[in-house]
Amino acid sequence: MTSSADKKQALQQWRERCKQVQSLTDTALLVSEDAHLREKRIRRLQSDYPAFCEYYFPHYLRLRDKATGEVIRTIHNAPFHNAAARKVKATPDLKAVFMWPRAHAKSTHFDIFIPLWLMFQPKRLINFMVVVSKSEDAADRLLGDIQAELQYNQRLIADFGLQQSDGSWQDGEFKTASGVKFLACGRGQSPRGLRDREARPDYIVVDDIDDDELCRNEKRVSDLTEWVKSALFGSLDVGRGRFIMVGNLISKNSVLANLATTHGVYLSRIQAVDKDGEPVWQEKWTRQEAQAYRDFVGYRAWEKEMMHNPILSGSIFRAEWIRFKRLPPLRSYDRLICYTDPSFKSTTANDYKASRLWGKLGSELHLIDCYVRQDTVSGMVRWLYDLYERTRDKAAILFYMEAIFMQDIILDEFEAEGKARGYQLPIMPDRRHKPEKIQRIEAVSPLWERGFVYYNAALKDSPDMQVGIDQTLALSRGSRVHDDAPDADEGAIWLLQRSSRQESAQPIISPRPRARGMW
């Protein structure tokens, strides 16, 4: 429950928001227009969603410097924003899940822009909106954003009349002067029989109802899914109206996941970057900003929050099996192998490539150096040559790559780099007939569990080491997670173990028996 101090702070923040809305939509800034031009402009905005957003909500679509507050640039809607609005408008009895990444304006569009666009159509398309969130307080705050626009947005008021409301978002409901009702509801609350006189809700938006704690409990997720499908959906007039859930897929065991796979539900699934690593909302951030964000939050958080690929750790490997130690000089090792998994895509920077240098010292296996990056083949090849040059005077490393990857396009990169350096890297193919990948990796996982595997403590905080660990801990059967690092680990370890088996299996030579005489 929210304390009185929290409520007072929320009210103060809302009032500041209202002042901002009022000042940034001041009609004095607009060019005066006669009644005919005004009517023509309004009709155009009613039919053009991106133009509607840019005209009425300039305060949402400006990127400001956090230090100075100055506008850096104007942000336009992404194509998926506009497609979603058109879908919602065109489908009166919509059941939909909009699975969008974090910070991609889910609440802004579905809780503010789209309902107001529907409300201010020539023929009003929304009469009773319900906002549902993980708590009643969270739902109330979402409701406060739309009430601020209705009461203080001067452009809306100038074009569609005074919208002073009856009621308050702090009480969880209000009603506009034109008769449109808005209501907040926390998850699990009873919405049965919700009505405004004879009217039932015709626009329900369920916004980020899942959280990590909930998703760890299958029974709670199942019960809440049933509540959404029966009690909440049942508050519509026998299913008439727009029923929308928005969020990012934080867990495969979630209400969002369950509803997204329900028959008859429309699904919009947007990932933060495309297959080439380019942001899908290019007006919001650049490729470099996306990469910097990914590097900071880490592999698992990026996949969970931005790519709808929630990763459960511990299905094959466990975090407590990852052990670090200070490693000895290279000359101390019985054998050294660098195994490379370059991935099938030779040019894209969105696919991970992994090179892993492993050493065997007695019964222990040490990860000495590593490269796990979204890079081109040429970038990977340069790293391998650099590794060779750093180590060739210290120890003999055997370089391996799976034979299937040693194709012309990859070998050409090695040859080109070799010509530039004056020698060719002695890389050999791994020609074994491999079992299924997960099966192979599972087969070596007991080495981690039993304490035979150690990672280089000197590289503990390096991005390559951390991404490799994240991929290892994320690995599970049926997952879509990148597995280049653990796959390369298995290749190197198999070769190291094979050499040990061969050395230990020396033939025993006994004297040749004399032939006995026949008499």
Side-chain angles (χ1 to χ4, degrees), residues 87-336:
K87 178 68 177 179
V88 173
K89 181 183 178 184
T91 316
D93 297 331
L94 177 68
K95 297 185 289 293
V97 168
F98 292 88
M99 190 184 293
W100 292 359
R102 184 177 184 179
H104 278 59
K106 299 182 293 293
S107 298
T108 299
H109 283 273
F110 291 98
D111 300 359
I112 304 173
F113 291 3
I114 291 176
L116 292 180
W117 191 47
L118 299 178
M119 178 178 169
F120 294 121
Q121 290 296 308
K123 180 180 179 181
R124 194 167 73 198
L125 301 179
I126 185 172
N127 296 289
F128 191 167
M129 173 179 170
V130 177
V131 179
V132 184
S133 193
K134 62 189 66 176
S135 70
E136 187 174 2
D137 290 329
D140 288 347
R141 287 192 293 272
L142 292 173
L143 203 64
D145 291 336
I146 196 168
Q147 188 174 33
E149 299 299 327
L150 287 167
Q151 288 190 206
Y152 294 94
N153 188 310
Q154 298 303 297
R155 296 187 180 188
L156 287 175
I157 293 171
D159 286 348
F160 303 109
L162 188 66
Q163 299 296 321
Q164 184 68 39
S165 63
D166 175 20
S168 169
W169 62 273
Q170 288 186 293
D171 298 326
E173 63 180 301
F174 67 89
K175 192 173 185 178
T176 69
S178 59
V180 181
K181 184 170 182 177
F182 295 84
L183 184 69
C185 181
R187 71 185 182 197
Q189 292 182 314
S190 176
R192 288 189 181 277
L194 287 178
R195 62 174 67 238
D196 182 43
R197 295 185 180 178
E198 296 305 314
R200 285 181 174 271
D202 56 4
Y203 185 98
I204 297 178
V205 57
V206 185
D207 190 332
D208 274 332
I209 198 173
D210 294 305
D211 58 37
D212 291 332
E213 181 183 3
L214 171 75
C215 294
R216 285 192 286 267
N217 189 315
E218 290 189 20
K219 179 66 165 56
R220 288 184 63 197
V221 169
S222 178
D223 290 346
L224 190 57
T225 301
E226 181 62 25
W227 175 82
V228 168
K229 287 185 174 182
S230 57
L232 189 58
F233 181 73
S235 67
L236 297 173
D237 185 10
V238 293
R240 298 189 184 100
R242 296 169 173 89
F243 189 79
I244 296 165
M245 176 174 281
V246 301
N248 59 315
L249 189 66
I250 64 171
S251 172
K252 294 176 183 177
N253 177 47
S254 61
V255 181
L256 186 79
N258 292 343
L259 199 66
T261 55
T262 299
H263 177 71
V265 171
Y266 169 80
L267 173 62
S268 167
R269 186 175 182 273
I270 302 297
Q271 294 177 309
V273 297
D274 63 20
K275 61 182 179 61
D276 296 318
E278 294 293 340
V280 295
W281 192 3
Q282 295 187 3
E283 296 284 354
K284 175 70 179 288
W285 60 345
T286 64
R287 182 192 185 106
Q288 291 72 28
E289 288 174 324
Q291 183 65 52
Y293 181 92
R294 176 166 41 203
D295 292 343
F296 181 80
V297 302
Y299 178 74
R300 278 185 288 176
W302 170 265
E303 290 292 313
K304 172 183 174 181
E305 297 176 353
M306 310 303 284
M307 302 298 286
H308 311 303
N309 184 26
I311 297 167
L312 296 175
S313 60
S315 55
I316 295 178
F317 293 87
R318 296 182 182 176
E320 59 266 28
W321 298 353
I322 306 298
R323 301 173 178 89
F324 290 89
K325 71 185 303 184
R326 183 177 178 181
L327 302 186
L330 290 179
R331 63 177 178 272
S332 306
Y333 288 93
D334 306 327
R335 192 175 178 87
L336 294 161

Side-chain angles (χ1 to χ4, degrees), residues 339-494:
Y339 198 100
T340 295
D341 180 351
S343 79
F344 280 102
K345 298 176 182 178
S346 61
T347 57
T348 179
N350 194 41
D351 212 46
Y352 279 92
K353 294 165 179 61
S355 293
R356 315 277 278 179
L357 173 59
W358 283 87
K360 186 176 186 303
L361 184 61
S363 62
E364 292 184 0
L365 296 161
H366 296 170
L367 178 63
I368 301 167
D369 207 344
C370 56
Y371 163 99
V372 189
R373 301 176 193 174
Q374 290 178 307
D375 202 355
T376 59
V377 169
S378 59
M380 177 196 73
V381 169
R382 283 193 299 273
W383 187 88
L384 286 168
Y385 270 87
D386 290 343
L387 173 67
Y388 178 75
E389 292 179 359
R390 291 197 310 268
T391 60
R392 61 184 171 185
D393 295 332
K394 301 174 183 177
I397 298 174
L398 298 177
F399 289 83
Y400 278 90
M401 184 184 297
E402 188 174 349
I404 191 174
F405 289 116
M406 297 189 72
Q407 306 159 4
D408 290 344
I409 190 168
I410 293 180
L411 292 179
D412 287 347
E413 296 282 357
F414 278 98
E415 184 177 356
E417 188 69 21
K419 287 181 178 179
R421 302 201 188 207
Y423 66 93
Q424 292 297 318
L425 187 72
I427 189 163
M428 296 178 288
D430 176 10
R431 299 187 185 278
R432 62 179 164 138
H433 296 288
K434 292 185 176 182
E436 187 260 338
K437 183 186 297 186
I438 296 296
Q439 180 183 340
R440 288 188 284 106
I441 297 173
E442 281 181 326
V444 298
S445 65
L447 295 170
W448 274 257
E449 183 178 9
R450 293 160 58 195
F452 292 119
V453 173
Y454 290 92
Y455 290 14
N456 190 346
L459 300 178
K460 185 174 183 179
D461 296 324
S462 74
D464 295 282
M465 181 67 78
Q466 287 301 315
V467 171
I469 290 172
D470 283 343
Q471 288 190 4
T472 301
L473 295 179
L475 201 64
S476 64
R477 285 193 171 273
S479 70
R480 295 178 289 105
V481 66
H482 291 284
D483 53 16
D484 310 272
D487 192 22
D489 292 340
E490 186 278 332
I493 289 171
W494 187 89

